[in-house]
Amino acid sequence: MPTVTMTVNGKQVSADIDPRTLLADFIRVNLDLTGTHIGCDTSQCGACTILVNGDAVKSCTMLAVQADGAEVTTIEGLAENGEMHPMQAAFKEHHGLQCGFCTPGMVMSAIDLVKRHPNPDEATIREELDGNICRCTGYHNIVKAVKAAADATGG
Amino acid sequence: MSETRENGIGAAVRRKEDNRFLTGEGRYLDDINLHNQAYACFVRSPHAHARINGIDKSEAESAEGVIAVFTGEDLAADGIGGLICGWGITSKNGEPHKAPPHPALAQGKVRYVGDHVAIVIAETPEQAKSAADLVDVDYEELPPVVNIADALAPGAPQIHDEAPGNECYDWEIGDKAATDEAFAKASHVTRLEIVNNRLVPNPMEPRAALADYDPGTDMLTLYTTSQNPHVARLILSAFVGLAPEHKLRVIAPDVGGGFGSKIFVYAEETVVAWAARKIRRPVKWTCERTEAFLCDAHGRDHVTTAELALDDEGHFLGLRVSTKANLGAYLSTFSTAVPTYLYATLLNGQYKMGAIYAEVQAGFTNTAPVDAYRGAGRPEATYVVERIVERAARDLNIPPEEIRKRNFIPPDAFPYETPVIMTYDSGNYQLAMDKANELIDRAGFPARRAESEARGKLRGLGYAAYIEACGIAPSAAVGSLGAGVGLWESAQVRFNPTGSVTIHTGSHSHGQGHETTFAQIVSDRLGIPIENIDVIHGDTGTVPFGMGTYGSRSLAVGGSALMKAVDKIVEKGKKIAAHLMEAAVEDVEHNNGVFSVAGTDKQVTMAEVAFAAYVPHNYPEDLEPGLDETAFYDPLNFTFPAGTHIAEVEVDPQTGKVDIVNWVAVDDFGNIINPMIVEGQVHGGIAQGIGQALLENTVYDAETGQLLTASYMDYTMPRADDLPSFNVETTNTPCPHNPLGVKGCGEAGAIAAPAALMNAITDALGVEIDMPATPEKVWRAAQSAQARAAE
């Protein structure tokens, strides 16, 4: 069994794992960070999106061994000193979530989006979130939340 | 409710539950693990229709990590019954609907791809999945039938011995003679053939189950993704026979969306719960997405012929509807009610409809069971009524808003009895229509259309003036129509000695925001800060028996139960306050958590009263200690949310692409507790309706019965860039028969949207097409329309 070592939410973790273990399963099962959700089998829904070295990645598309040495951030690692990340706060303020299942992945994708498009218009936000499926909100308030977070972070 | 209190009724309070969902601290089913748990994988039929001549499980049983393999024989040997359908429908000929057995694991035959054959339980999920492939099932393939028209035709493959010709029921409602008469004197008849496409609900959290048996207490606990844990417990206990009701605890924790599909009691949850006791270890099963496509109950799937009789001024004289409904291979929990009492009773729409006659023939096919999906029957009814009304307007050259105006039930006509057994309670349909026309700039449409045309594009405007019956439902009424349960709701308001409050509700939130809305009601009424109120739901071990959440019922029924419990708290509180203030009870007034004596400056707070109730040192002699009240509320009628949605589209005839350029929704939900949450519900509903009209379709191969759309690679879910932003507003005619005056908002969007969008697309194209309006279909229609125009 190979050993993987990575930094997850600022903490170094190491484990011996079955080489076929997906990064999504490693996070959920080995690290018990269950905020990262699994919503499909085909890397379509985006519920498992996390940040790997700062980039949004669907964690079901990566083997855990591929993340060896990487810096990983999950939804649990966003808040600082009990203060939600501006993107999390914007989702709450603009009711960008209902059942909450797609939300962690959506927030992660949105953070990556704003990093690449500091001042996105509605069309850009919609196009960039195309990899994350939400069945509850119709995306209307998600788009508002992302725009507000971008504005708040000085986009 | 004149002024809006901070965090009270009418305030857009930010949701209490969001903190945990946004930080990864939600607890969905797959996030829960129990010590020593084993993992289940189901062996599913690869065939749509086959006889099982034998099952050899020996190789699977000896595979690494396998604990047990069970089949239908094992369930039967333990006396575990099949799954039930809880609503009886009586056919035209007086016979009850055909109810063939629905074993949780197949007995001798499989009837759709994905049908449950065996459960494999192993130490790890991977081992269970690998071993499931080793279960050797000897299938003898039979010809399948997947379309309802084919299934009901003579000579179709016979799916159940108990249902000759694959018919479940042939039902009717309305007055046939009066309707025939209306058509005889009509000056115009509009006829429409309509297909309502089959959908897969697709909540983002797949179903899952985790069961645990405690031999010490003989308690079987089932954690499951349910919208109604008490109903699940009742069925699993009384009908399936898993355990006595008091020895079965069903817990539905954070549930990631439902849309109807998590109402039902399925095979997997049933078998997992039974197996946990059998092997004396916790057993966990988590559905994969393709399994969800195969086995979650689907929605819609109607084929309808509708005819509308009109006089020469466009008044609706009569409506005749004939529908064939596909119920799939087995009857799901409430499947029979959806194409009957949840559908045909809404065919009256918002109109004075002279006479109505509807018949529904429902049957079995080799496809997944079909049951309630967001709107459940009401989207199908609205789609029939609003498509044919729009068609009639075009036939008679009357503007679509004008033909509706001529036929709307006027605001002074309520209560209004329809020809299809509903009594509408309140509404103002023209008001919503006028507001919607204003918001979409109806007057400016011709200019916008001309401008599109100049660019080679086709612009269309489509209306849906929908009505739905929500707040399900008066128990006596639904009982008389065949329901096996009552549809009241429960609520408990429990004060703690320090003045904080725990609310228990029998309804269930899987995204709707009960933890906030219900807390707002209690905060508003009892003056308790919202942060000191917790809402608990979803656990039969802690919450009073409740009927759960579906049919936009939580607030209208569950919220009303909560209001009744609040009233009881106030009533008892007045007695305690009177004692503390040394006043007569009848002189004590209550307002927002403060008890006072009329005409004096004496007052005590709710917190002081709660403390006195639990530390009753100075307390009325004849009063029980404690401040903890439970109430049950059985509604007097359905509620009837209604409104107008208008879609404006631009179609590119060169590519068939439909752009939704504007969407206006004006809904009458009665009073509103939290406008932010209500708007969100409308957005989500519209998105699902647009999904149905534009993108989503469930396709079974007619030859093999294989599901061709069984993943997100094949089934087109609406994504952010498929949808516009929505212009959502409300009107308010309060519900006259529940204490909050609320009507329900969860399904409106999904009910209104398909008709509005298809009316807009067909307006642009000038020809009729069926859902989903994919680019290919739209392109072909545009080409044929242009070819016709050139002739």
Side-chain angles (χ1 to χ4, degrees):
Chain A
M1 276 202 185
T3 302
V4 291
T5 303
M6 62 186 90
T7 306
V8 178
N9 301 334
K11 207 171 105 188
Q12 199 178 66
V13 295
S14 193
D16 297 334
I17 56 166
D18 185 341
R20 66 177 170 174
T21 306
L22 296 175
L23 183 54
D25 290 324
F26 178 73
I27 289 166
R28 285 184 56 79
V29 179
N30 296 64
L31 305 181
D32 199 27
L33 292 170
T34 56
T36 299
H37 297 151
I38 296 173
C40 74
D41 327 323
T42 51
S43 297
Q44 289 286 307
C45 80
C48 66
T49 306
I50 58 170
L51 301 179
V52 178
N53 298 324
D55 296 329
V57 169
K58 290 179 178 177
S59 61
C60 72
T61 61
M62 258 180 104
L63 296 167
V65 291
Q66 290 177 291
D68 193 44
E71 189 89 35
V72 168
T73 307
T74 71
I75 191 75
E76 291 91 343
L78 283 183
E80 279 181 33
N81 306 319
E83 284 284 310
M84 283 202 266
H85 183 281
M87 189 61 75
Q88 292 170 305
F91 268 66
K92 176 170 179 175
E93 176 62 22
H94 296 279
H95 190 30
L97 65 153
Q98 290 181 24
C99 83
F101 195 80
C102 77
T103 306
M106 197 66 82
V107 167
M108 290 304 189
S109 287
I111 288 171
D112 185 71
L113 184 172
V114 171
K115 188 184 75 181
R116 288 178 294 106
H117 303 275
N119 192 13
D121 59 13
E122 178 175 342
T124 304
I125 295 170
R126 288 186 177 275
E127 192 181 319
E128 287 285 328
L129 291 181
D130 161 272
N132 292 73
I133 303 177
C134 169
R135 191 57 151 171
C136 294
T137 64
Y139 306 99
H140 180 112
N141 285 340
I142 291 176
V143 173
K144 265 167 71 179
V146 174
K147 180 76 184 134
D151 291 348
T153 48
Chain B
M1 284 172 216
S2 49
E3 54 168 315
T4 301
R5 298 191 172 103
E6 192 192 359
N7 299 329
I9 290 172
V13 178
R14 301 305 185 267
R15 300 201 318 172
K16 289 162 69 77
E17 46 270 76
D18 284 358
N19 292 351
R20 70 175 186 276
F21 293 150
L22 278 162
T23 54
E25 299 301 333
R27 282 288 168 268
Y28 300 90
L29 213 130
D30 192 52
D31 304 338
I32 299 168
N33 295 294
L34 298 175
H35 176 66
N36 202 31
Q37 76 190 13
Y39 295 85
C41 179
F42 284 85
V43 177
R44 298 177 184 281
S45 171
H47 305 297
H49 197 192
R51 202 164 278 124
I52 296 175
N53 289 327
I55 301 174
D56 180 358
K57 52 187 191 179
S58 56
E59 202 182 338
E61 282 173 329
S62 59
E64 190 189 354
V66 170
I67 299 159
V69 180
F70 298 117
T71 67
E73 263 180 43
D74 302 298
L75 281 179
D78 267 11
I80 299 301
L83 305 174
I84 62 146
C85 174
W87 199 304
I89 298 296
T90 306
S91 281
K92 288 173 186 169
N93 63 6
E95 283 182 22
H97 78 261
K98 303 291 189 297
H102 185 181
L105 292 174
Q107 297 279 0
K109 212 177 168 191
V110 285
R111 294 180 174 86
Y112 67 103
V113 173
D115 203 353
H116 316 76
V117 176
I119 182 174
V120 176
I121 302 166
E123 297 294 342
T124 72
E126 294 79 13
Q127 287 168 339
K129 198 171 177 181
S130 299
D133 283 342
L134 302 176
V135 175
D136 187 10
V137 185
D138 178 8
Y139 293 106
E140 178 190 339
E141 283 187 65
L142 299 167
V145 59
V146 298
N147 297 312
I148 186 60
D150 295 342
L152 293 170
Q158 181 67 35
I159 298 169
H160 293 279
D161 294 343
E162 298 80 2
N166 299 318
E167 185 183 278
C168 180
Y169 54 77
D170 184 8
W171 173 89
E172 64 182 348
I173 193 169
D175 188 332
K176 190 170 195 293
T179 307
D180 288 346
E181 207 175 297
F183 275 83
K185 64 178 184 207
S187 55
H188 177 80
V189 173
T190 290
R191 193 169 191 277
L192 206 56
E193 306 281 339
I194 288 175
V195 176
N196 204 294
N197 43 325
R198 177 187 276 240
L199 305 174
V200 181
N202 273 306
M204 292 316 298
E205 181 205 21
R207 285 189 295 124
L210 171 60
D212 184 27
Y213 177 67
D214 178 354
T217 58
D218 191 32
M219 181 66 80
L220 184 58
T221 301
L222 173 64
Y223 298 82
T224 182
T225 45
S226 176
Q227 300 177 214
N228 36 216
H230 277 101
V231 176
R233 187 184 67 164
L234 177 64
I235 291 173
L236 289 170
S237 174
F239 296 94
V240 177
L242 269 186
E245 209 173 353
H246 65 298
K247 291 296 182 189
L248 181 60
R249 179 177 180 185
V250 178
I251 299 173
D254 286 331
V255 172
F259 314 114
S261 69
K262 291 172 181 170
I263 298 171
F264 321 120
V265 174
Y266 289 91
E268 292 92 346
E269 292 86 324
T270 305
V271 177
V272 161
W274 166 79
R277 185 167 54 197
K278 193 84 179 160
I279 69 165
R280 290 288 202 269
R281 280 178 66 173
V283 177
K284 184 175 190 176
W285 168 76
T286 305
C287 193
E288 294 186 353
R289 183 55 63 181
T290 289
E291 287 185 287
F293 273 100
L294 291 172
C295 298
D296 283 7
H298 295 176
R300 320 282 191 253
D301 205 344
H302 285 194
V303 182
T304 294
T305 302
E307 294 169 287
L308 182 64
L310 302 102
D311 66 16
D312 47 18
E313 290 174 332
H315 295 114
F316 305 155
L317 305 178
L319 178 70
R320 197 188 273 146
V321 174
S322 175
T323 294
K324 287 182 168 47
N326 191 341
L327 297 178
Y330 301 96
L331 296 181
S332 175
T333 315
F334 291 109
S335 55
T336 51
V338 177
T340 51
Y341 291 110
L342 294 178
Y343 164 66
T345 55
L346 275 308
L347 287 171
N348 187 76
Q350 300 184 353
Y351 309 110
K352 290 174 289 176
M353 194 76 84
I356 299 176
Y357 176 70
E359 49 190 350
V360 179
Q361 193 186 13
F364 298 98
T365 60
N366 295 111
T367 64
V370 179
D371 206 323
Y373 165 58
R374 200 169 194 166
R378 291 151 288 167
E380 294 92 314
T382 295
Y383 192 64
V384 169
V385 174
E386 290 304 293
R387 287 296 309 280
I388 201 163
V389 162
E390 194 100 352
R391 181 71 254 169
R394 288 172 198 167
D395 288 352
L396 296 177
N397 217 10
I398 301 171
E401 67 275 33
E402 174 60 27
I403 201 169
R404 289 180 170 88
K405 185 177 184 176
R406 288 183 198 173
N407 288 280
F408 275 150
I409 297 165
D412 59 3
F414 296 95
Y416 183 86
E417 206 171 317
T418 76
V420 277
I421 73 171
M422 287 293 183
T423 304
Y424 295 168
D425 56 359
S426 66
N428 188 337
Y429 307 139
Q430 189 61 47
L431 183 67
M433 170 72 80
D434 290 344
K435 198 166 175 180
N437 271 328
E438 195 187 310
L439 288 168
I440 201 108
D441 182 20
R442 174 70 181 89
F445 177 72
R448 295 197 295 278
R449 177 174 248 176
E451 190 274 330
S452 292
E453 211 171 289
R455 288 185 285 108
K457 302 285 174 67
L458 307 170
R459 207 169 182 103
L461 198 69
Y463 288 80
Y466 74 95
I467 189 160
E468 48 172 333
C470 294
I472 291 173
S475 296
V478 295
S480 74
L481 301 177
V485 288
L487 287 168
W488 44 267
E489 197 46 84
S490 67
Q492 181 182 28
V493 175
R494 176 182 291 170
F495 267 86
N496 302 306
T498 52
S500 62
V501 173
T502 304
I503 299 169
H504 288 132
T505 172
S507 62
H508 185 275
S509 177
H510 27 284
Q512 297 90 337
H514 293 35
E515 288 171 48
T516 305
T517 308
F518 282 35
Q520 279 179 257
I521 294 171
V522 169
S523 177
D524 189 280
R525 288 303 150 117
L526 299 181
I528 307 299
I530 200 161
E531 59 274 17
N532 293 347
I533 304 171
D534 248 14
V535 178
I536 309 287
H537 59 76
D539 182 351
T540 64
T542 57
V543 173
F545 197 107
M547 296 308 295
T549 286
Y550 37 83
S552 304
R553 71 190 301 275
S554 290
L555 196 57
V557 190
S560 296
L562 183 58
M563 287 291 278
K564 280 187 72 178
V566 164
D567 287 346
K568 289 185 182 180
I569 291 282
V570 170
E571 201 184 332
K572 183 166 182 179
K574 277 184 179 175
K575 291 179 189 165
I576 300 166
H579 182 87
L580 293 176
M581 296 188 287
E582 297 176 336
V585 176
E586 46 274 20
D587 294 337
V588 174
E589 291 173 350
H590 170 258
N591 182 35
N592 192 224
V594 178
F595 296 93
S596 55
V597 180
T600 74
D601 60 356
K602 284 184 182 176
Q603 58 178 48
V604 291
T605 64
M606 187 58 82
E608 290 171 286
V609 164
F611 186 78
Y614 287 100
V615 188
H617 295 164
N618 174 22
Y619 200 70
E621 253 177 36
D622 52 352
L623 199 64
E624 289 176 26
L627 196 57
D628 183 352
E629 297 288 346
T630 300
F632 292 78
Y633 176 79
D634 202 336
L636 299 169
N637 190 0
F638 291 86
T639 61
F640 295 92
T644 292
H645 286 217
I646 308 178
E648 186 164 334
V649 301
E650 192 176 76
V651 175
D652 185 341
Q654 301 304 315
T655 64
K657 187 170 187 306
V658 174
D659 270 334
I660 301 170
V661 292
N662 200 356
W663 194 287
V664 165
V666 179
D667 299 291
D668 179 359
F669 298 133
N671 293 331
I672 285 173
I673 308 299
N674 185 322
M676 176 192 79
I677 288 177
V678 167
E679 279 184 25
Q681 289 292 309
V682 176
H683 298 155
I686 295 171
Q688 289 184 5
I690 292 175
Q692 168 163 33
L694 222 48
L695 305 165
E696 298 178 40
N697 200 21
T698 310
V699 183
Y700 282 94
D701 182 75
E703 296 280 307
T704 62
Q706 293 295 325
L707 180 58
L708 302 180
T709 50
S711 80
Y712 290 148
M713 310 287 278
D714 308 298
Y715 185 95
T716 317
M717 291 282 277
R719 294 171 188 259
D721 53 359
D722 294 315
L723 299 174
S725 286
F726 311 111
N727 196 350
V728 173
E729 301 238 355
T730 55
T731 58
N732 180 8
T733 58
C735 173
H737 57 78
N738 67 45
L740 286 164
V742 298
K743 296 187 175 182
C745 66
E747 297 162 297
I751 291 169
L757 186 49
M758 292 308 290
N759 282 338
I761 293 169
T762 54
D763 182 44
L765 291 172
V767 291
E768 299 291 334
I769 58 169
D770 278 322
M771 301 188 287
T774 57
E776 185 200 348
K777 231 186 258 179
V778 172
W779 180 82
R780 285 183 191 281
Q783 299 309 306
S784 73
Q786 282 178 346
R788 265 209 310 260
E791 274 170 15

